[in-house]
Amino acid sequence: MLNFIRENKVVAGILVFIRVYIGYAWLTAGFGKITGGGFDASGFIQGAIANSGGDHPAVQGWWASFLEAVALPNAELFSFMVMWGEFLVGAALILGIFTNFAALMGMTMNFAFLFSGTVSTNAQMVLLTVFLVVAGANAGRYGLDRWVIPFIKNHTPIRKEAKKVAVA
């Protein structure tokens, strides 16, 4: 089954639709934050910290501690990373460039939002993104990865050294 997901061209075609759907969601969310002006994640972070108390906390204590000690004091940096991260992950998924890395970064953001107590479409996006990550290179077969990844593999010093060692 794993080989089927990782190597089948029909599956690669289906993954394009998943990739573009998720990419569009990320791209539009990031674009809205970038062009909307004044995006500030500090309110969201404070809300997540507040939801870590009480009888039935929506946010785990360890995550709230991270938000309070790291994210909130650096809210400007986190705001920048969220809006540009969403936009760049979306663009990469739509174009099919560095697909696996983009999918992994998208999952990381989804989990951060889920840990912060926001459900929305994050769980659905994680589930769909798992297929992209499991598919590996097949997820970017019909995208720019088809040309970019082989180019990088053939034109990096590490790859050239590996070829020299293999010949010797």
Side-chain angles (χ1 to χ4, degrees):
M1 184 65 172
L2 187 60
N3 284 340
F4 178 71
I5 293 171
R6 291 179 155 243
E7 296 173 7
N8 187 282
K9 291 180 181 182
V10 174
V11 171
I14 294 168
L15 292 171
V16 169
F17 290 102
I18 294 172
R19 206 182 69 216
V20 170
Y21 170 75
I22 296 169
Y24 181 77
W26 281 122
L27 185 80
T28 55
F31 187 74
K33 289 175 178 76
I34 292 167
T35 60
F39 171 71
D40 183 9
S42 61
F44 177 81
I45 296 168
Q46 290 169 346
I49 294 167
N51 287 332
S52 67
D55 292 336
H56 303 286
V59 177
Q60 296 291 310
W62 66 271
W63 184 253
S65 296
F66 165 77
L67 293 175
E68 194 168 25
V70 179
L72 191 56
N74 298 296
E76 189 174 320
L77 173 63
F78 276 79
S79 298
F80 179 85
M81 290 191 317
V82 166
M83 63 184 175
W84 282 101
E86 288 177 349
F87 182 80
L88 292 173
V89 163
L93 288 175
I94 290 169
L95 296 172
I97 187 165
F98 306 120
T99 305
N100 291 341
F101 180 72
L104 186 61
M105 292 301 100
M107 282 180 68
T108 301
M109 286 190 291
N110 280 133
F111 278 119
F113 300 149
L114 286 167
F115 288 155
S116 299
T118 301
V119 179
S120 186
T121 60
N122 293 301
Q124 170 192 338
M125 289 176 72
V126 167
L127 180 63
L128 291 173
T129 306
V130 165
F131 289 104
L132 299 178
V133 172
V134 169
N138 206 29
R141 178 187 298 254
Y142 299 124
L144 294 178
D145 280 348
R146 184 178 195 159
W147 297 281
V148 172
I149 299 301
F151 179 84
I152 290 171
K153 284 182 178 177
N154 291 324
H155 291 87
T156 58
I158 295 170
R159 184 70 173 184
K160 289 179 184 176
E161 288 299 319
K163 285 182 182 178
K164 287 179 188 177
V165 171
V167 172

